[in-house]
Structure formats: structure tokens, C-alpha cells
Amino acid sequence: MTEIASDEPEKLTAIIIANIWKELAKRNWTLKMLSDKSDLPYESVKKLVNLKIARPSFMSIWQISNAFGCSLDSLVGREDPSGNILNRVSESTSEIYRILRDMDKLSQHSL
């Protein structure tokens, strides 16, 4: 099991909170709206986003991500893995086509 540095949970919490604020702004939601949509007590949401809760529970973060309709990965600042895969496949496909074109040109010159 990988050890976690003592300051990592606080950094992760700060990232989560920043992303919650971004999602709130994007949707023009209030904390009360987030509370209602996530089915979390208003005071808990308020404490969470004001960094009064150092280590929010997984369930709270999960409920918030569901309220936003986003993945947990996006709330913790990780890129969408499916998007990365699609980008890599697209880049690889373009590279394969380039190689095939080059091979075709070489074969035509050798004839």
C-alpha cells in the first residue's frame, strides 16, 4: 500500500473545494441549492466549502458529485480517463495513417 504524505489530504481537500466552487459558479447555484440537490445538510455544505471540515467523507463528496452530475474524478481534479484514451487513440490513428502514407510513397518510388 502506498503511503500518503501528511499534507496530501489537505491538498486534496483544497482541490475538491476549489472544484466545488467552480461547479457552483458554472451552474449559478447557491450553497442552499447544492445542499438540496445533494441531500446534505446546509450547515455541512457550508462548513465543507469554507474549509471547516479538513477531511470530508467519501459519501459527502459522492453526493455532491451526483448533484453536479459530474464524476468524482473531476471533483478531485483528475482528468476524465475516457477523454485521455480517445485523444491517445486519435493521435495514434493519425500517426498510423502518416506511416502508411510514407510507406506507400516509398513503395511507389522503388518501382
Side-chain angles (χ1 to χ4, degrees), residues 32-51:
K32 177 70 172 123
M33 291 169 79
L34 177 58
S35 167
D36 292 343
K37 292 177 187 293
S38 65
D39 199 29
L40 291 168
Y42 173 76
E43 286 301 315
S44 296
V45 171
K46 186 174 151 186
K47 286 178 184 176
L48 173 68
V49 298
N50 289 313
L51 295 170

